[in-house]
Amino acid sequence: MDLETCLSACAAHSAKLVGSLDGRRNALAEALRHLLATHAATAPAASATSPLPLLRRPAKAASGSALLLGDALMDPLLAVGNKALACGYGDETKLALMVADTVLTQRKRSRAGWRLRARVLEAMGAESAAVTAYERYLELTDDDGFGVAVKVAGLREGARLQAELVQRLATGCPEAREFAARPVVESWAKGLELHARGAWDEARPRLIGALLAQIGADAPVNEIQQTLSRYLTLAREAAGVAGGGSAPTTGRAPATPAEHPAPAELTALTTLYAEQRRARMRGPVDDPTFGGVQWLTLGEFRNRIAGKSICLIANSQRVGNSSLGKEIDDYDLVVRFNSYRIDPAATGRRTDIHVSIHKHGFNWDQHVDTRLIFGGISGDWKYSLRNRLVPGAQTYLGDESLRWPVRDIGRLGRDVWSSIPTSGFNMLWLLDFLDVSPRLDLIGFDFYESGAYRLPAAMRMPITSVHEYTSEKAWVMERAQSVTDMRISLR
């Protein structure tokens, strides 16, 4: 996919989003505007005599004249791909795939490009191709901060369980083979009609045959999943199993499980379906207790830090270039954030409390006494913990009372604090609110003025624009007791 064609498609799609009421599409529209503005600002330097006609498909470029994907366009283009994928609609998913292919055409070793392509293919139901792309990403990275290895394991296990489920359906209904070679819609529609008439024995082979035909035609995984789910619902209705969706007989109460227990084979099939869905969602979980981790409530966390000196270490180049390692290790508690990087002479060795946003898993495998994972949406936060928490890597883990301090504890709504609070600000606000530490210092907090100092795999991640660092800095300075080049003391 050449860059000219991709930019033309982005410009055309941007025009389609004008006046959209969908928040996700509005976010995509903003990313598209930023991409096109960046291209407009950089294109003249590359081709001053022949600007790109963005609103139509350009003519095939002469040899050697194709646009090159420079560093200035890389992050805005990837942002468009990610926002397009988040929309969840067909046209935007195709745009996201175009972006991924454009990146990989010119940068075949782009980790972000391979991960985006894998996520798009997974959303499209092309699971085998998605696994291949995820594995290519893993080959190129040393730090699997996004939990891709677990994702791949889950997809493989889900595919295995799905194949076992389909095989049991086919083995249990040999007549279905006759319908596997017929059109899917025809067999499925006839099966639904027969089921509605109460002729389940005739409906069953047609419905299973339609499923086998789907698989034979290499249908997207999400379509196969819908068919499996619907078939099992119909099978439970036909068996009169409670919860199958069938209406109760007129004049009597709904059946209970004791009245109509599910046949053993139907129970086994339903269990297989649930297991393969669970594996795809969260990957295999070897230790559901995560090494016997102890959950911390807000009050218990307060008691653990009371009376102790605390330093919060920024992921900034100012820290990376310093020689404060020994001073940092002299504090009672050392707090680090997200994809922190350790250089003993500059950053110190110890990490007592690791604070991270739930959206990635950098350093989750590093052993710490306490890990606090922040997230704004409860369901997404729980999903990330199930998928990314490493058994034995922490003794204590913050529970939901510590999930989103600024919003949930401080009740600072968007009318008071409009931007999304960073992990660092959530933690700093929490420590200031609890007010039980005799010494509370921020080391190297220049709010990214000196640039980021992170794990190598995280250095390509942009400093996100959803946070408003100016407001956070103003909040800190209003409460500072003393300020030096490297240290801000709040106590």
Side-chain angles (χ1 to χ4, degrees), residues 34 92 174 292 297 341 357 364 366 393-394 407 486:
H34 179 55
E92 281 79 11
T297 64
R341 183 174 171 182
I357 190 67
W364 288 33
Q366 299 301 304
Q394 55 280 308
R407 300 288 195 221
M486 285 298 301

Side-chain angles (χ1 to χ4, degrees), residues 310-316 318-320 322 324-325 327-329 331 333-338 340-342 346-353 355 424 427 441-445 448 453 486-487:
I310 301 177
C311 67
L312 291 76
I313 312 302
N315 296 340
S316 68
R318 185 167 295 185
V319 171
S322 76
L324 293 178
E327 291 183 46
I328 289 171
D329 285 337
Y331 284 81
L333 296 174
V334 178
V335 181
R336 302 188 196 272
F337 301 94
N338 297 306
Y340 68 85
R341 183 174 171 182
I342 293 292
T347 67
R349 299 176 183 274
R350 285 180 28 238
T351 305
D352 301 295
I353 302 175
V355 176
M427 185 62 180
D441 291 347
L442 286 68
I443 307 293
F445 273 73
Y448 290 110
Y453 185 75
M486 285 298 301
R487 195 186 320 263

